[in-house]
Amino acid sequence: MNHATTSDKLFALARNYWWCWQPEVASIFRELDPVRWRELDHNPVLMLKEMTAERVDQRCREAVLHSRINYHYRRWQEYMNSSSNTWGATHAGVVGAKPVAYFSAEFGVHESLPNYSRGLGVLAGDHLKSASDLGIPLVACGLFYNEGYFSQQIDEHGWQRELYAPVENSKLPIEPALGPDGKQVMVKVDTRAGSIHAQVWQVNVGRVRLFLLDTNVEANSPDDRRLTARLYGGDVRIRIRQELVLGIGGFRALTALGIQPNVVHMNEGHSAFAPLEMVRMRMHDEGLSFDEAVRETASMCCFTTHTPVPAGHDRFDYGMIDEHLGPQADQLGIGTVGMMGLGRVNPQDPNEPFTMTVLAFKLSRKANAVSSLHGVVSRRMWSSLWPWRGEQEVPIGHITNGVHLGSWLAPQLQDIYDRVLPQDWREHSGEPDTWTNFESLSSGEMWETHQSLKNRLIVFCRARMIRRGNRIGMSQAEINEFNDALNPEALTIGFARRFAPYKRADLLLKDIEQLGRILADSKRPVQLIFAGKSHPADENGKGILQRIYKLTQDSAFKGKIFVIEDYDMNLARHLIQGVDVWLNNPRRPLEASGTSGQKVALNGGLNCSILDGWWAEAYDGLNGFAIGNGRVHVNQDVQDDRDAKSLMKVIQDEVIPLYFDRDQDDLPMKWIARMKHSVRTLGWRFNSDRMVMDYVLQGYVGAAGGLSCDMDRIQ
Ligand SMILES: *Cc1c(COP(=O)(O)O)cnc(C)c1O
């Protein structure tokens, strides 16, 4: 684009999500039209499409954007063309010209692409961004959900309503993925009852291309056209069909695009059918036997397991497998019975269902859990796959999750990091030495920056409460109250996550009288902000949300407890950047890792968490707070009671006193020391650059180089 106009350049920037981790580029879009920018979920493609060319030009002149656009366009071009001097060029050379193919059922890249429902997807998005920044040759493969996951409305009774709004493809930052013939790639997967067709879209995430398969095409039956409409929206049959499209369809899509991966990384078991297609291709193209092809394929595959409970793993019966994998099984020469064996711990047991996770383990050379503790849990859970090994020798390691710094760190703090950390901190953020100097930052500056972020959060929450108030028909008087809801001087505790029962959103409410006393202390004001979606089918989770909502209407808690609807990446960003304390109280050991608390830590908030997931390895006594001591009890009720008491105790005896211990300038010096200590000790470790570097060194390099397998063959 040598003679590109300013608006060409704007469109080009809008079509690559690189912008979403460049605060200066985001602010160019915002300045074009601040109101529409917010209303359109920060979707620059849609916003620009709405504006006429003259209007874009006019705004660029009024806001003096031309030179900024030119500058960032050039930066972007340099970024796209400079992968030769990256960490990846030095350390992932063996991955070489053939990329890593990263498969996931969801991708949370940005709120404008609602292709995610939870941490698993946001993690996948962060993985792509770090792979891009580090210059790792990587492409990604997922499904395109044109109704996405639902947006959440909380009605006047505090009950969750789910809204599915189909998005028009032309309004999203996606484009058709073109094959060598210049046409949009289409793939086909056979079942016993006919074929499923899918078209392929491309999303640009920096240097990484993300391909999304979409079954909404004419060749499909009406049911199959809706197959990929919703994320986790269907029954078992929809689930297996989605997974068939993701795994087998996804690998075929890569082939049709001319991409031959050197490594395949399965993020959770949903994509475990992909290696079956690799096996088929090797048998067909290279004339290998089934066993040889399995060995060759497994040596290229890495698998990350995320689920610490047996019930969380997809399981299918013989009929489902025969209908959907029968044709593939025939081509592999193993028949449906042989196929069932690949998904069973004990292949000979006719009563055992087919488990995606088992298949993924059997077809990978390398498997990992997502935190140290989750590694222990996973080795125990799957030890029956390796009966000849002791539990410690089960070949499942761990690579602890991390978060993408550029996406989650507040721009105000990025400026501070620029000053306090070494000049090249962005390129070396996954290394401890980079962070050594952080604690030299002045306490006053740390505090004031934090307070300004907290104020942004408050303004954001007010706007969401007012929007909801208008929707459900609250009185003007009630709505006006939201204008000064939330107190910037109060200790602000945030809790936002899925309302899944094990996350125990209501743990703090167990001793409601005591909570009432704490919140009633006007000298030491404390406020709580809750947010989170419940799975559409989870009445129990919705009940918990409603119970908390009811408290916001109760005179004893009104103005102290807030529920903000529609937890998404945008609300998450505001919350994790603005809270003082991030509360996390899952039932140990059910939180495989958790990542929201890592985002908080980067921004100087303090975690107050059960010693589960990432926190079990992160907490050092000074970088946050621990609830309890990590003991679990066989009786769930006993464990819940004990944790509720520990939680109340730590809030009352540690968190509140420390926060309100002020010096003559009203600064909580000991608190600020913890904030800085938290950033220094956690920022490098729990960031996705470090995570992706670990995946490269521990997984991808070996898989690409065909080094000997970590896993012994499982029968
Ligand atoms: C980071 C993030 C998560 C992950 O949260 P955890 O509860 O820590 O697993 C979930 N949803 C959104 C929108 C996020 O941004």
Side-chain angles (χ1 to χ4, degrees):
M1 262 201 241
N2 273 338
H3 303 288
T5 65
T6 306
S7 81
D8 290 340
K9 290 178 183 172
L10 262 178
F11 262 99
L13 287 169
R15 291 195 177 283
N16 188 316
Y17 271 111
W18 176 78
W19 72 262
C20 81
W21 68 98
Q22 312 299 323
E24 296 100 346
V25 185
S27 73
I28 292 174
F29 292 129
R30 184 180 314 106
E31 286 170 48
L32 282 171
D33 188 341
V35 174
R36 286 309 276 162
W37 179 240
R38 198 171 59 235
E39 288 170 353
L40 298 176
D41 262 340
H42 308 145
N43 176 345
V45 167
L46 183 50
M47 193 181 74
L48 289 172
K49 283 208 162 167
E50 278 191 7
M51 298 172 83
T52 60
E54 293 78 51
R55 178 79 187 132
V56 172
D57 237 30
Q58 184 196 352
R59 281 303 297 152
C60 287
R61 262 182 286 114
E62 285 167 3
V64 205
L65 299 178
H66 284 282
S67 62
R68 283 161 63 195
I69 292 167
N70 288 334
Y71 171 69
H72 291 295
Y73 180 80
R74 186 165 326 115
R75 271 186 61 225
W76 173 57
Q77 294 278 296
E78 277 165 16
Y79 176 88
M80 295 300 286
N81 297 325
S82 69
S83 52
S84 58
N85 48 21
T86 55
W87 184 90
T90 319
H91 294 88
V94 50
V95 177
K98 296 181 176 179
V100 177
Y102 180 91
F103 281 76
S104 178
E106 45 173 304
F107 286 93
V109 176
H110 185 255
E111 58 265 23
S112 58
L113 192 64
N115 233 54
Y116 64 96
S117 77
R118 54 183 172 136
L120 179 75
V122 177
L123 177 83
D126 282 359
H127 194 106
L128 305 192
K129 293 170 184 174
S130 276
S132 170
D133 288 344
L134 292 166
I136 314 297
L138 183 142
V139 296
C141 209
L143 297 176
F144 176 73
Y145 307 99
N146 86 312
E147 295 180 14
Y149 198 55
F150 66 93
S151 3
Q152 177 198 52
Q153 296 192 337
I154 298 177
D155 72 12
E156 64 272 34
H157 308 294
W159 196 252
Q160 168 176 301
R161 304 277 162 204
E162 296 102 28
L163 243 69
Y164 292 91
V167 270
E168 261 179 65
N169 300 349
S170 65
K171 295 182 172 166
L172 290 172
I174 63 172
E175 54 199 54
L178 304 180
D181 59 358
K183 296 210 187 87
Q184 183 168 20
V185 168
M186 289 276 275
V187 295
K188 176 169 84 84
V189 185
D190 297 324
T191 74
R192 292 261 191 247
S195 307
I196 309 172
H197 302 263
Q199 58 189 353
V200 186
W201 299 100
Q202 177 174 332
V203 183
N204 301 309
V205 185
R207 299 175 179 124
V208 167
R209 289 176 296 164
L210 162 61
F211 299 106
L212 300 175
L213 280 79
D214 172 12
T215 62
N216 187 12
V217 293
E218 263 168 32
N220 280 333
S221 68
D223 278 354
D224 281 341
R225 292 194 72 153
R226 288 194 51 75
L227 184 59
T228 54
R230 292 180 183 184
L231 182 48
Y232 307 132
D235 55 14
V236 174
R237 189 154 182 279
I238 290 186
R239 178 61 83 102
I240 193 172
R241 292 171 88 78
Q242 286 187 338
E243 293 179 348
L244 193 68
V245 173
L246 173 63
I248 294 187
F251 201 83
R252 286 188 184 157
L254 296 181
T255 307
L257 285 156
I259 297 168
Q260 285 180 295
N262 235 341
V263 179
V264 166
H265 183 177
M266 292 169 268
N267 185 44
E268 189 56 309
H270 306 120
S271 51
F273 294 145
L276 293 178
E277 175 61 4
M278 299 163 70
V279 171
R280 189 195 64 79
M281 282 179 61
R282 293 203 96 126
M283 291 172 70
H284 180 269
D285 298 350
E286 297 166 36
L288 300 184
S289 71
F290 173 74
D291 281 340
E292 287 164 343
V294 165
R295 206 173 312 121
E296 293 286 313
T297 296
S299 76
M300 294 167 63
C301 291
C302 305
F303 169 51
T304 303
T305 178
H306 288 263
T307 314
V309 275
H313 297 261
D314 284 327
R315 291 185 160 75
F316 302 115
D317 64 18
Y318 184 93
M320 280 291 158
I321 292 296
D322 185 54
E323 181 186 347
H324 295 100
L325 285 152
Q328 192 83 6
D330 292 346
Q331 291 202 43
L332 301 182
I334 57 172
T336 303
V337 172
M339 183 64 81
M340 284 301 287
L342 287 176
R344 283 176 177 149
V345 174
N346 175 3
Q348 266 72 48
D349 178 358
N351 297 317
E352 195 185 320
F354 182 101
T355 307
M356 293 299 274
T357 309
V358 172
L359 179 67
F361 279 126
K362 291 192 181 182
L363 296 181
S364 303
R365 70 177 299 279
K366 192 94 192 174
N368 71 283
V370 291
S371 71
S372 170
L373 179 60
H374 180 228
V376 175
V377 171
S378 300
R379 286 189 285 279
R380 184 172 313 142
M381 197 158 83
W382 297 107
S383 63
S384 57
L385 271 172
W386 293 270
W388 57 91
R389 287 182 170 219
E391 200 174 292
Q392 275 82 29
E393 275 75 51
V394 167
I396 306 175
H398 78 271
I399 292 177
T400 304
N401 288 344
V403 297
H404 184 245
L405 216 130
S407 302
W408 297 106
L409 181 63
Q412 293 88 328
L413 280 163
Q414 299 200 21
D415 292 345
I416 290 186
Y417 281 34
D418 279 337
R419 255 189 300 117
V420 180
L421 301 185
Q423 207 182 355
D424 56 355
W425 69 272
R426 282 170 213 269
E427 286 72 46
H428 299 278
S429 68
E431 300 159 27
D433 292 348
T434 307
W435 299 73
T436 318
N437 207 31
F438 191 80
E439 283 170 83
S440 70
L441 174 64
S442 100
S443 295
E445 186 167 10
M446 181 87 218
W447 187 247
E448 291 314 324
T449 308
H450 171 69
Q451 282 300 107
S452 82
L453 290 168
K454 192 193 235 180
N455 276 304
R456 282 193 69 224
L457 166 64
I458 289 175
V459 169
F460 184 86
C461 290
R462 287 174 183 162
R464 281 230 172 161
M465 288 189 286
I466 291 170
R467 187 183 74 183
R468 171 175 176 273
N470 283 318
R471 190 187 68 239
I472 66 171
M474 281 186 169
S475 72
Q476 198 53 51
E478 282 174 297
I479 290 172
N480 286 344
E481 278 180 29
F482 291 136
N483 281 321
D484 29 52
L486 288 151
N487 171 6
E489 299 309 318
L491 167 64
T492 303
I493 303 178
F495 181 100
R497 44 199 79 251
R498 275 180 306 134
F499 270 59
Y502 81 86
K503 301 247 191 190
R504 299 188 298 190
D506 54 352
L507 195 69
L508 194 57
L509 314 183
K510 269 205 178 257
D511 186 347
I512 197 79
E513 269 104 57
Q514 184 56 20
L515 181 64
R517 280 191 288 277
I518 288 176
L519 298 184
D521 183 346
S522 59
K523 284 211 223 44
R524 300 198 296 181
V526 177
Q527 61 198 4
L528 301 168
I529 305 178
F530 287 91
K533 295 175 181 175
S534 176
H535 187 278
D538 180 8
E539 301 286 306
N540 191 5
K542 292 185 199 179
I544 296 174
L545 180 63
Q546 184 176 44
R547 195 169 148 233
I548 297 172
Y549 176 79
K550 291 246 151 101
L551 285 180
T552 69
Q553 310 296 89
D554 177 323
S555 59
F557 297 96
K558 195 169 176 181
K560 306 280 166 68
I561 298 186
F562 300 87
V563 174
I564 310 297
E565 65 184 8
D566 205 20
Y567 183 49
D568 67 353
M569 288 177 76
N570 186 23
L571 174 55
R573 207 163 44 239
H574 283 85
L575 280 166
I576 57 97
Q577 292 174 359
V579 295
D580 297 304
V581 171
W582 193 245
L583 182 60
N584 180 37
N585 47 37
R587 196 174 285 133
R588 182 178 150 125
L590 300 186
E591 183 84 299
S593 166
T595 52
S596 54
Q598 303 172 344
K599 303 168 192 165
V600 171
L602 276 181
N603 286 285
L606 294 183
N607 280 274
C608 177
S609 172
I610 295 276
L611 291 165
D612 196 12
W614 77 286
W615 194 237
E617 68 200 75
Y619 177 63
D620 71 358
L622 289 172
N623 52 11
F625 305 94
I627 304 167
N629 55 12
R631 275 173 35 224
V632 297
H633 199 282
V634 284
N635 181 325
Q636 198 171 290
D637 295 330
V638 174
Q639 189 173 337
D640 288 356
D641 276 338
R642 197 169 56 194
D643 288 347
K645 287 202 178 73
S646 305
L647 166 59
M648 199 55 93
K649 193 165 154 46
V650 69
I651 296 273
Q652 191 173 285
D653 297 350
E654 295 182 49
V655 178
I656 294 178
L658 197 69
Y659 187 84
F660 290 103
D661 179 1
R662 303 296 170 105
D663 72 0
Q664 65 276 19
D665 298 322
D666 200 31
L667 288 179
M669 293 303 287
K670 293 197 190 104
W671 185 277
I672 300 169
R674 264 189 207 220
M675 292 168 75
K676 292 195 279 185
H677 182 68
S678 166
V679 173
R680 179 174 72 74
T681 57
L682 305 175
W684 70 270
R685 261 175 89 190
F686 300 100
N687 104 32
S688 53
D689 279 11
R690 189 276 309 149
M691 173 181 79
V692 170
M693 294 192 294
D694 282 352
Y695 275 109
V696 169
L697 298 176
Q698 296 177 35
Y700 301 166
V701 166
L707 301 179
S708 72
C709 223
D710 227 29
M711 316 258 265
D712 23 42
R713 262 310 287 298
I714 338 176
Q715 295 310 303

